[in-house]
Amino acid sequence: MTRMHYTRDNMAGLLRSHDINPTHQRIEIAHALFSRQEHLSADQVMAIVNTRHSETSKATVYNTLKLFLEKGLVREVIVDPSKVFFDPNTSPHHHLYEVDSGKLSDIDAEHVQISGLPPLPAGMVTEGIDLIIRVRKA
Amino acid sequence: MTRMHYTRDNMAGLLRSHDINPTHQRIEIAHALFSRQEHLSADQVMAIVNTRHSETSKATVYNTLKLFLEKGLVREVIVDPSKVFFDPNTSPHHHLYEVDSGKLSDIDAEHVQISGLPPLPAGMVTEGIDLIIRVRKA
DNA sequence: TCTGGATATTAGACAAAGTCCAGATTGGCG
DNA sequence: CGCCAATCTGGACTTTGTCTAATATCCAGA
């Protein structure tokens, strides 16, 4: 994958390619996530988007993040009981969570192998596998 | 491990062996979790404990569950962004989460192998590895 | 250009999970 | 019995997220 700049113009294209109508607010929110390539909570997204010029409401931030999720533009990471993180990296990967600091980082799934899992219950399909390594200072 | 009955008397012993003062409320809460061998949320624990005679306050339920957690009596399972589950099974195992129904079940870790993980950051130790298989109806 | 309707956004009320605190209860022990 | 520490309690509070009804925006077609 070629490196690209996460300009707002490119965001519009990205949204369109995921079948999302690229409105002003959606572009700002996508830009917040993708230009940072970081895991952000809804709160953080709202803070970032609202330091820039245009104001975006809480409802829109939540609506938009949910929309991005449905359209496969971002992934949800559930590591902290108090808030959900949104991850602009949708390629297969796992997570390393530093419990003390709350820092969350990616582990590329390419070399990780999980074997010996029992068969799924009948009529079920895997929606996703979340592997979280929780670490703390020694 | 021999099968045992999770009587309230046995709960007192269990608590003591984990360095927890076995009060009336704590025994009831432990009993709720261990006699069912199920994953329960704080809400569910409170509901169960309060259908029986003695009333236990919300604060006590939360305090007690946190205490059990610190003392290694239960494990925390974070799969649902809206509530934490407490797991009386502390032996190494993973989880299967049925997204639609919210049903959560155990996967014995004995035969599951996870390989190829990168080394931990310097000065960090693993606190736990959470593997969650999210499934849904086909 | 004007208009209608679909889509998107908004403020703010609301809900649910969890925390916090100051006062009341309990229980063990001398 | 009376004391002290540990525990428990109700209720106010915080935070994350949802809902709703009203408004704004956009665009296609006349």
Side-chain angles (χ1 to χ4, degrees):
Chain A
M1 191 185 295
T2 39
R3 171 166 288 286
M4 72 173 289
H5 283 175
Y6 294 101
T7 63
R8 290 184 173 69
D9 275 5
N10 289 342
M11 287 302 99
L14 180 64
L15 294 181
R16 258 186 290 265
S17 75
H18 282 256
D19 201 23
I20 298 171
N21 193 358
T23 67
H24 183 52
Q25 289 90 335
R26 287 169 182 175
I27 288 169
E28 285 303 316
I29 291 172
H31 185 254
L33 279 160
F34 285 91
S35 69
R36 280 171 187 73
Q37 286 290 102
E38 259 177 31
H39 309 84
L40 299 177
S41 66
D43 256 27
Q44 291 174 309
V45 169
M46 190 153 58
I48 291 167
V49 164
N50 283 336
T51 46
R52 312 199 148 267
H53 35 81
S54 67
E55 297 278 311
T56 301
S57 73
K58 184 167 60 153
T60 296
V61 170
Y62 278 97
N63 288 343
T64 301
L65 289 172
K66 195 192 281 183
L67 180 68
F68 285 5
L69 200 57
E70 282 163 9
K71 299 294 188 179
L73 198 60
V74 301
R75 233 171 86 167
E76 209 178 19
V77 186
I78 306 174
V79 284
D80 181 319
S82 77
K83 61 179 66 170
V84 172
F85 287 94
F86 294 87
D87 187 346
N89 176 359
T90 52
S91 71
H93 67 280
H94 306 301
H95 291 104
L96 183 88
Y97 186 57
E98 299 180 22
V99 182
D100 325 288
S101 67
K103 190 160 165 281
L104 185 62
S105 47
D106 284 356
I107 297 175
D108 196 323
E110 201 180 343
H111 301 103
V112 179
Q113 276 226 338
I114 301 170
S115 59
L117 287 174
L120 296 187
M124 292 281 171
V125 291
T126 303
E127 174 155 307
I129 295 185
D130 292 359
L131 177 61
I132 297 154
I133 317 291
R134 280 167 209 280
V135 302
R136 59 176 171 74
K137 288 214 179 63
Chain B
M1 191 187 293
T2 40
R3 171 167 287 286
M4 71 173 291
H5 282 175
Y6 294 101
T7 63
R8 290 182 173 69
D9 275 6
N10 289 341
M11 288 303 98
L14 180 64
L15 294 180
R16 259 187 288 264
S17 76
H18 282 256
D19 202 24
I20 298 170
N21 193 358
T23 67
H24 182 51
Q25 289 90 335
R26 287 169 182 173
I27 288 170
E28 286 303 315
I29 291 172
H31 185 255
L33 279 160
F34 285 92
S35 69
R36 280 171 187 72
Q37 286 290 104
E38 259 178 30
H39 310 85
L40 299 177
S41 66
D43 256 27
Q44 292 174 308
V45 168
M46 191 154 57
I48 291 168
V49 164
N50 283 337
T51 45
R52 313 201 147 266
H53 34 81
S54 68
E55 296 280 309
T56 301
S57 73
K58 185 167 59 154
T60 296
V61 170
Y62 278 97
N63 287 342
T64 301
L65 289 172
K66 194 192 282 183
L67 179 68
F68 286 4
L69 201 57
E70 282 163 8
K71 299 294 188 179
L73 198 60
V74 301
R75 233 171 87 168
E76 209 178 20
V77 186
I78 306 174
V79 283
D80 181 320
S82 77
K83 61 180 64 171
V84 172
F85 287 95
F86 293 87
D87 187 346
N89 176 359
T90 52
S91 71
H93 67 280
H94 306 301
H95 291 103
L96 183 88
Y97 187 58
E98 299 180 21
V99 181
D100 325 286
S101 66
K103 191 161 164 282
L104 185 61
S105 48
D106 285 355
I107 298 176
D108 195 324
E110 202 180 342
H111 302 103
V112 179
Q113 276 226 340
I114 301 170
S115 59
L117 287 173
L120 295 186
M124 292 282 173
V125 291
T126 303
E127 174 155 305
I129 295 186
D130 292 357
L131 176 61
I132 297 154
I133 316 292
R134 280 168 208 280
V135 302
R136 61 175 169 75
K137 288 214 179 64

